[in-house]
Amino acid sequence: MVDTMTPLHSTTRSSRIRGLRGFRRPAPARTSSPGAVTLPPDDDVLLDAPDDVLGPALVDAAAGDHRPAADLLAATRHTRAWERRDRYVRRLAGFARSRPDWLDAWRAHAPGNPDLLLVEAQSAVDRAWDSPARAELLRELNHLITAAARADHRDPVPWRLALDHARGARAGHRYVEEVWAAAVRRAPHHYGSHVAALRYLASAWHGAHRECFDFADRAAQDAPEDSLTRTLPLLAAYGYLTDGCGPEVPRARLDAAADRAVALSARLPADRSWPAAPRNLLIHVLVRLERWTDALEELRRTGPYATSFPWDRDAEDPLGRFLEVRRAVCEAAASGAPAPGHAPLRGGPGHPRSEQGGRPGPGDH
């Protein structure tokens, strides 16, 4: 699996993330879309909703009780549920940035706990990422990531975090390849590690979308049918569609990436919060490709669950952007034509790019 990693250049440049544009503000909410597909009312749509397991742990953490969150992460580590562990670590780290009391209590109770060390490292990387002095601040956090990795040698999530850290700190490609090898040695098909590696490639080779597709396609082909890594080409397609440079990628390759993600989405449960992240990204790409019927079906599957990424890449209000895209898709699917207010994609369907900048983050997936 390590051989799927494309050789890296040692010089890195941050690619400019561009966002969706051209959708008008939606009219008053309605619950039924054209074509007999019923969607939840606008007021029922939730942004970044936790799943039924994480939600109660966050409620208890808000009350200052760290134990449910600690038990939750311990369970993911003992059962090697690495995908869920990765999601929970990100959410708990984000929560701790605004509500740190429960994390302080956890640290006082069990300062060397592997799960605590991982949440602390993730939270520190997130804070540094938002600073103009990102690279310098991130380089000062090596010890936190090392401590999290040493706390449990089986866990791939600290190595995913190390890949994100390396991108932000502008580490050289040899170091990144070593970290990548350590990550996939622990979990060959871990989605988070693959996303982090793909993002590093995209930033190191700005505009090298074909190389990113090659890496993503090989990883997806190797992954089990139910693995989220099967959707990795979708992220490569998103990078291409929202970037403003690089050679043209054939339309067929973009459609193939979307088709693979559609196939996985059909196997995942509908109206559940945890598959919302890949489905929201899939909706974005399908809209770019003007595949309105497929986008409408994904809106049905995701139900009331919206995610900040990718809608926050070009909007201060990601939920509002999701809702206006949803309405535009319904209108376009009903008419068989581009949605009213939707700007034509640059270069036509074969080369659909956007024109508006956005705000990249350390790990949007």
Side-chain angles (χ1 to χ4, degrees):
M1 190 63 184
V2 174
D3 292 338
T4 63
M5 188 66 169
T6 306
L8 303 173
H9 287 329
S10 58
T11 302
T12 63
R13 287 178 9 183
S14 296
S15 60
R16 186 183 183 190
I17 302 296
R18 299 172 184 268
L20 196 61
R21 65 182 266 174
F23 287 98
R24 68 186 183 185
R25 185 63 60 179
R30 63 185 182 188
T31 61
S32 181
S33 65
V37 174
T38 300
L39 301 178
D42 287 1
D43 290 344
D44 289 350
V45 177
L46 305 173
L47 184 69
D48 298 328
D51 65 24
D52 293 341
V53 178
L54 178 61
L58 290 174
V59 172
D60 289 328
D65 186 357
H66 70 278
R67 290 171 297 179
D71 292 343
L72 178 60
L73 287 183
T76 64
R77 180 163 47 87
H78 295 320
T79 61
R80 304 192 182 195
W82 305 130
E83 303 294 1
R84 286 195 295 116
R85 179 173 178 80
D86 206 347
R87 290 197 302 271
Y88 294 162
V89 164
R90 292 174 187 270
R91 291 298 300 270
L92 288 167
F95 187 76
R97 292 182 64 183
S98 59
R99 302 291 292 271
D101 292 350
W102 66 277
L103 196 63
D104 295 338
W106 191 2
R107 186 182 305 110
H109 178 73
N113 180 273
D115 310 308
L116 169 69
L117 294 175
L118 183 53
V119 173
E120 288 182 318
Q122 179 72 64
S123 183
V125 168
D126 291 346
R127 286 194 302 271
W129 203 276
D130 293 338
S131 170
R134 175 193 303 167
E136 292 77 8
L137 292 175
L138 285 173
R139 292 184 189 116
E140 298 174 0
L141 302 179
N142 283 326
H143 65 289
L144 295 179
I145 299 173
T146 299
R150 288 177 174 172
D152 189 331
H153 70 278
R154 306 169 304 163
D155 188 357
V157 180
W159 297 95
R160 184 275 303 160
L161 180 58
L163 287 167
D164 286 336
H165 173 269
R167 174 165 56 96
R170 300 172 186 163
H173 71 284
R174 289 187 178 180
Y175 170 76
V176 173
E177 287 177 337
E178 291 174 359
V179 173
W180 164 252
V184 295
R185 190 163 56 245
R186 287 159 174 79
H189 307 296
H190 180 227
Y191 177 65
S193 297
H194 282 79
V195 169
L198 181 62
R199 291 189 183 280
Y200 183 89
L201 288 172
S203 65
W205 291 355
H206 188 196
H209 298 291
R210 291 179 182 174
E211 290 80 1
C212 289
F213 263 103
D214 289 344
F215 167 70
D217 284 342
R218 284 194 294 267
Q221 290 165 7
D222 289 346
E225 287 192 355
D226 61 348
S227 171
L228 287 178
T229 302
R230 303 276 289 187
T231 69
L232 198 65
L234 184 73
L235 189 59
Y238 169 81
Y240 170 74
L241 294 170
T242 57
D243 193 16
C245 70
E248 184 169 333
V249 173
R251 169 66 188 242
R253 196 164 196 183
L254 301 173
D255 281 323
D259 290 343
R260 194 191 295 269
V262 167
L264 178 62
S265 178
R267 292 194 293 270
L268 300 178
D271 291 329
R272 296 283 297 277
S273 63
W274 70 265
R279 283 185 174 135
N280 274 243
L281 181 60
L282 177 55
I283 292 163
H284 186 290
V285 171
L286 290 169
V287 166
R288 282 277 166 215
L289 298 176
E290 300 181 1
R291 291 173 52 171
W292 309 112
T293 302
D294 289 334
L296 183 59
E297 175 61 15
E298 291 308 317
L299 284 167
R300 182 193 67 78
R301 287 171 176 162
T302 200
Y305 298 112
T307 56
S308 291
F309 178 74
W311 314 112
D312 63 354
R313 286 296 148 283
D314 70 321
E316 295 296 331
D317 177 13
L319 179 57
R321 179 52 56 92
F322 172 84
L323 293 175
E324 60 184 342
V325 169
R326 189 173 76 152
R327 179 163 298 281
V329 169
C330 291
E331 293 173 356
S335 65
H342 178 248
L345 296 174
R346 176 181 168 189
H351 194 69
R353 304 293 188 92
S354 71
E355 302 286 347
Q356 181 173 332
R359 299 173 303 282
D364 304 308
H365 61 273

